[in-house]
């Protein structure tokens, strides 16, 4: 077998690598590690409620400007990602996924509660044998009390 022969990757390992990226995003948000989010999404376009953002520095700044962080360095949230569906195009080294997200939050003066629910639509590519985000589109369609999570909502309180 020559070095240029392409050997398809194990489909299970592709799905697991992509699931790990999706899980890593939730961990970084919940840890308040916005620099880490910038690195994770460095090759991606992120579209949330505002204009699309691209590039590590721009994505880090967008999260810093949007999400309230508390004394413990976190937004006091838990992003729960479920119903993950992944489709891999092995020959193109690309993948797409769809998933649900439920955001929970608790503070000393706020009992644990869901504050938002929606969907993620993601695109990935494999470069140099490693999967990475190339697009994350967030669509939040159920909104609770986000006034202790998002700066804009807090300003409107």
């Amino acid at each position: 077998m020559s070095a240029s022969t392409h050997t398809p990757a194990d489909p299970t390992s592709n799905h697991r690598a992509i699931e790990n990226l999706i899980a890593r995003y939730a961990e970084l948000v919940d840890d308040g590690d916005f620099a880490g989010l910038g690195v994770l999404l460095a090759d991606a376009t992120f579209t949330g409620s505002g204009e699309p953002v691209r590039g590590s520095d721009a994505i880090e700044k967008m999260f810093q400007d949007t999400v309230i962080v508390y004394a413990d360095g976190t937004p006091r949230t838990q992003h729960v990602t479920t119903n993950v569906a992944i489709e891999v195009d092995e020959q193109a080294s690309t993948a797409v996924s769809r998933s649900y997200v439920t955001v929970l939050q608790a503070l000393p003066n706020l009992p644990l509660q869901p504050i938002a629910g929606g969907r993620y639509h993601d695109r990935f590519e494999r470069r140099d044998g490693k999967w990475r985000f190339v697009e994350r589109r967030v669509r939040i369609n159920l909104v609770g009390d986000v006034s202790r999570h998002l700066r804009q909502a807090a300003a409107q309180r």
Side-chain angles (χ1 to χ4, degrees):
M1 177 181 276
S2 72
S4 63
T5 302
H6 176 73
T7 304
D10 172 28
T12 302
S13 68
N14 285 330
H15 281 74
R16 179 62 64 204
I18 291 166
E19 287 174 341
N20 287 344
L21 288 172
I22 293 167
R24 186 70 181 138
Y25 172 89
E27 291 170 352
L28 291 167
V29 173
D30 294 334
D31 288 346
D33 185 352
F34 303 144
L37 278 172
V39 171
L40 181 71
L41 299 171
D43 299 318
T45 299
F46 180 93
T47 306
S49 59
E51 290 296 312
V53 180
R54 181 163 181 78
S56 184
D57 292 342
I59 289 170
E60 177 182 355
K61 182 179 180 341
M62 185 270 306
F63 276 93
Q64 288 173 340
D65 291 348
T66 304
V67 177
I68 298 168
V69 175
Y70 292 89
D72 68 353
T74 76
R76 308 279 304 164
T77 56
Q78 292 291 297
H79 285 64
V80 181
T81 310
T82 60
N83 300 25
V84 178
I86 299 169
E87 299 168 20
V88 176
D89 182 335
E90 185 61 45
Q91 290 195 338
S93 292
T94 61
V96 295
S97 78
R98 301 171 315 280
S99 55
Y100 284 29
V101 59
T102 303
V103 183
L104 306 170
Q105 187 177 40
L107 293 160
N109 62 345
L110 178 75
L112 177 65
Q113 61 186 273
I115 61 169
R119 302 282 306 263
Y120 294 141
H121 295 272
D122 300 318
R123 286 189 312 114
F124 304 89
E125 72 177 18
R126 188 176 50 224
R127 224 184 295 159
D128 301 322
K130 186 176 176 183
W131 286 100
R132 65 190 74 222
F133 278 96
V134 292
E135 181 179 35
R136 168 151 274 196
R137 288 182 295 134
V138 180
R139 300 284 180 258
I140 299 297
N141 24 3
L142 301 174
V143 180
D145 181 358
V146 294
S147 65
R148 293 172 187 89
H149 180 52
L150 301 176
R151 293 184 191 284
Q152 185 178 20
Q156 295 171 356
R157 261 199 291 175

